[in-house]
Amino acid sequence: MALFTRNLALTVGAAGLLMLAACGRDAGTAGPTISSDPGITDTTITIGTSQPLSGPLASAGEATLAASQAYFAHVNAQGGVKMGDGKTRTIKYVYYDDAYDPAKSVQNYQRLVHQDAVFAVFQPLGTGPNLAIMPRANADKVPHLYVHSGSEKFSDRAKNPWTVGWGPTPVSEGETYGKYLAARNKPMTVAVLRQNDDLGQGYLTGLQAGIKGSEVEIVKIATYGRTDSTVDSQISALASTKADVLYMGVVIPPLMISGIKHAGTLGWSPEIYMVNNTADISGILKLGKLTGLDDLYTASFVKAADDPQWQDDPGVKGYLESIKEYPKAFGNLVNGEISYGEAETLVATLEQTKAPTRQALMDAVRTLAHAPAVDVLMPGVTLDATDATAPPVHGQVVQHFDGTSWQTVEEKAE
C-alpha cells in the first residue's frame, strides 16, 4: 500500500534541518550558540506519527490523527506554541499509514526520523506498532511520546527512557473492573475474551488482580487474533458457561460488536464489560445497534464528547469546536478525545522545554505535573508525568450505559 503524508504546513527538508543543527560559537558574539536537534528551528517544530489509516483499526486511527491535527491547527492559529526557551513555534505534523502492521510502523518510523527528520514521534496507535518502534526510538534517542496504547511496557522509563505512555494501562483498567465486581460482595462468574497479545494479557492480569480474594470467579478464557474476521466460535464457547459477566478485552470495534450480537443470538445475556476505547456512543454503540442493551459497562478517564451529560462542559465544547473541520474525528469520538488530550499534553510539555533539543523535551516530560490545559479528563482523574514507572494519566471510573449516556456507578455491596 502506498504511503502518504500531509503536513499542517510545508515539511522542512532534512538537509536544511541538519544545517540548522550545526553547533559551535558565533564569531561575532562572546557566548556559544545553542545546538538544535533535527526537526526544530526558531519558528517551527516538526512532529511525526504512524497511524492505522486502513485495515481493522482504520476508524480509530483516522479519529486519532484528525483530533491531533485539529488541536495543532488550533495552536498554530493562535500563533504557535511558546516554548520554554522563549521562542514561539508553529507545529508541522507529518504522518503515514501503517494499517496496524508493526512492520509498516517500523518503516514509517525510519522514514519519519531519517528522511523527514522529525523532532519527536508522537502517539502512534496500538501496542504492537509501538513495541516495534520503541527499541529503535530509544537506540536513536528520539522522543517517542504519549503513545496511543495503555500497555505497561510503555511506562518503564528505566528500560526505555525515551518512550512515555499516556492513558491508564490495560492492567489498571482490568483491575478497575475487577475491584468493582469484587465490591459487590456476591458470587459471580466471568467469561473473558481477550486479544492474544500483551495488550489482551494486560486486561486479563488486571481483572485477576482486582477480584483476588473475592467471590468472583473466572470460569473460561478465550482469545482472538488482530487479523481474525470473526469471534463467533469464541463467544459460543464462552456462552456455554452461562457466566454472569462477559469481559470483552476486545479492542477492534467490528469484532466487539459482532461478538456481543452473537452472544444475544445464543440467548446469553450477561453483564458486558467493554474496554474504554470501544465505548464510543455515536461511532460504535449506535452504529453497531447496541444501545438497547441493558447491561453494558466500561471504565472512563475522559469525558465522552457524545454523552449528553457533558454537552455544556468547557473542555468538551472546546474539543468539539476544534474538530469541526476534521470530520474523521467524529468517526470514533472516544479515540479522538483521547488523542486530543495527548496533543494537549504534548503542547504543555513543549511549553516547558527549555532548549531546542530532544533531551530538553524529555527533561520537560519528567517534570510535567497537573497540566492545566488537559481539560478533557474526567473529574477525579489527574495527569502527572513525574512518575517514571506509570503513565501520566491516573485514575478511572466504572460507568453503566443507560441507553443514552454513560453514568458513573459506585463500588458497593449488593
Side-chain angles (χ1 to χ4, degrees), residues 134 137-139 141-147 151-167 169 345 349 358-370 382-394:
M134 182 165 64
N138 280 270
K141 296 185 178 181
V142 172
H144 176 211
L145 293 185
Y146 308 138
V147 302
S151 174
E152 63 279 0
K153 291 182 180 294
F154 308 123
S155 296
D156 186 349
R157 282 179 253 167
K159 289 184 178 179
N160 297 290
W162 294 84
T163 297
V164 183
W166 190 76
T169 67
T345 305
T349 309
R358 290 166 170 165
Q359 183 61 62
L361 176 60
M362 297 309 300
D363 291 342
V365 171
R366 296 185 185 100
T367 59
L368 184 69
H370 312 298
T382 60
L383 187 145
D384 186 340
T386 60
D387 184 350
T389 65
V393 175
H394 302 271

Side-chain angles (χ1 to χ4, degrees), residues 115-337:
Q115 294 183 36
D116 299 311
V118 300
F119 187 62
V121 175
F122 168 65
Q123 76 170 187
L125 187 150
T127 298
N130 278 291
L131 286 175
I133 289 171
M134 182 165 64
R136 292 162 176 83
N138 280 270
D140 293 337
K141 296 185 178 181
V142 172
H144 176 211
L145 293 185
Y146 308 138
V147 302
H148 202 85
S149 166
S151 174
E152 63 279 0
K153 291 182 180 294
F154 308 123
S155 296
D156 186 349
R157 282 179 253 167
K159 289 184 178 179
N160 297 290
W162 294 84
T163 297
V164 183
W166 190 76
T169 67
V171 173
S172 66
E173 183 174 350
E175 189 169 8
T176 297
Y177 299 126
K179 287 181 176 179
Y180 171 71
L181 293 172
R184 291 164 68 174
N185 287 339
K186 67 175 185 177
M188 299 185 75
T189 54
V190 182
V192 177
L193 178 61
R194 69 168 183 88
Q195 194 160 288
N196 61 352
D197 58 10
D198 288 340
L199 174 67
Q201 181 58 48
Y203 287 125
L204 175 60
T205 298
L207 179 70
Q208 291 169 325
I211 64 174
K212 187 175 182 180
S214 73
E215 298 179 87
V216 181
E217 177 188 5
I218 296 174
V219 292
K220 194 171 186 64
I221 300 168
T223 64
Y224 73 94
R226 61 183 179 83
T227 60
D228 288 354
S229 59
T230 178
V231 292
D232 284 0
S233 62
Q234 293 96 320
I235 292 294
S236 294
L238 295 174
S240 68
T241 68
K242 302 186 187 306
D244 303 310
V245 171
L246 170 59
Y247 178 38
M248 292 287 281
V250 179
V251 298
I252 300 175
L255 294 182
M256 187 276 296
I257 292 169
S258 65
I260 291 176
K261 286 186 172 180
H262 187 59
T265 67
L266 299 173
W268 184 31
S269 302
E271 293 182 3
I272 298 170
Y273 290 73
M274 57 176 61
V275 294
N276 58 48
N277 75 325
T278 65
D280 185 88
I281 296 174
S282 59
I284 296 178
L285 299 187
K286 288 183 178 178
L287 190 65
K289 299 181 179 179
L290 300 179
T291 55
L293 298 179
D294 294 329
D295 287 316
L296 297 180
Y297 293 82
T298 194
S300 299
F301 57 93
V302 295
K303 306 162 186 169
D306 54 358
D307 193 322
Q309 67 180 302
W310 302 114
Q311 63 182 352
D312 295 322
D313 180 82
V316 171
K317 290 173 71 174
Y319 165 58
L320 293 174
E321 181 65 29
S322 293
I323 64 173
K324 280 183 178 179
E325 296 182 20
Y326 296 83
K328 289 186 176 180
F330 289 92
N332 189 323
L333 279 171
V334 171
N335 261 298
E337 197 164 6

